[in-house]
Amino acid sequence: MEKKDIISLEPTQSQLDRALAKVHRVREENNGSNVMNEYSKMGGNRTVGAFLLEEVLYDKCIEADLDVEDVSKSGNRHYDLKLGQYKIDAKAKYTTYHQVYPDFNAGIYEYEVTKEATHYAFGRIHYDKNVKEENLNRYKKVFLVGQISKEKFLKEAKVVRKGEKDPFGDGRGCDTMDEDCRVIQIKSLSPFKKFKNSENYWEELM
């Protein structure tokens, strides 16, 4: 995929409100923490950005009249959206960059490999780190960077161990991993440009 395939969207107040409501629910369930206790050994740290990506993806699917279900509302911790038979795990990463490029990375933590997702949907959250309030002045844009089947991702992604340099690292190779990860370049993903109502849509990504 190319840079032109990356979709840049400004999040809405409704999407942010729904994301904040999910964060509030998770913290209530876990005694004030945003870590899901059942999956604490798998990390499970949920941020506003992660939930915001879910809401943006959900709305894009609704706009395209796709048969989508937000399963994260029920506390599902393996994947976030269900599109027909496909189970989509949305993966968000924060960035202060105003643009996202195909040689940047997309990745998951090694402990996430056991989750029951069939596909990964990657996004970047462009935020202003100087704004501390959880509002739209902080969350500037959501980049929908690409998608890939879990099967294909596990075949093509590179394993990077904790403490090693990310071979891509947003094009610079300078990020040091804080956990074991699997990473791939955004250009190896399939683009989101065809949000369409087709029963073969996700199957084409396998």
Side-chain angles (χ1 to χ4, degrees), residues 16-62:
L16 180 58
D17 288 344
R18 282 180 274 150
L20 290 171
K22 286 183 176 180
V23 171
H24 180 70
R25 185 205 74 212
V26 170
R27 287 176 177 167
E28 280 192 336
E29 292 173 353
N30 294 279
N31 300 315
S33 171
N34 67 338
V35 176
M36 297 178 175
N37 291 335
E38 182 181 346
Y39 282 77
S40 59
K41 67 179 179 180
M42 296 169 56
N45 190 38
R46 303 304 299 239
T47 64
V48 176
F51 287 124
L52 184 57
L53 175 60
E54 291 176 19
E55 298 305 323
V56 170
L57 282 170
Y58 178 81
D59 283 355
K60 287 293 290 184
C61 291
I62 291 294

Side-chain angles (χ1 to χ4, degrees), residues 20 48 57 73 85 93 118 148 151:
L20 290 171
V48 176
L57 282 170
K73 288 181 178 179
Q85 62 180 309
K93 182 176 180 179
T118 63
I148 191 170
E151 180 182 3

Side-chain angles (χ1 to χ4, degrees), residues 6 9 12 19 45 50 69 77 80 86 94 96 99 102 132-133 142 148 158 168 170 195 200 205:
I6 297 172
L9 299 168
T12 67
N45 190 38
E69 178 186 357
R77 290 150 190 174
D80 305 304
Y86 302 113
Y94 283 99
T96 56
Q99 298 289 331
K132 304 305 180 184
E133 296 79 12
V142 174
I148 191 170
K158 180 178 178 60
F168 309 125
D170 290 355
F195 272 95
N200 297 320
L205 305 178

Side-chain angles (χ1 to χ4, degrees), residues 113-164:
V113 169
T114 58
K115 289 186 175 183
E116 298 172 1
T118 63
H119 290 77
Y120 299 120
F122 291 97
R124 291 294 185 100
I125 310 298
H126 174 223
Y127 79 114
D128 186 340
K129 62 183 179 181
N130 295 315
V131 178
K132 304 305 180 184
E133 296 79 12
E134 303 287 10
N135 58 38
L136 293 179
N137 291 322
R138 176 173 172 81
Y139 301 102
K140 300 289 190 180
K141 289 183 181 179
V142 174
F143 295 101
L144 303 182
V145 300
Q147 55 198 343
I148 191 170
S149 72
K150 178 180 179 180
E151 180 182 3
K152 184 177 180 182
F153 179 85
L154 295 181
K155 285 179 181 178
E156 298 183 4
K158 180 178 178 60
V159 176
V160 183
R161 299 301 179 189
K162 180 179 179 179
E164 293 181 351

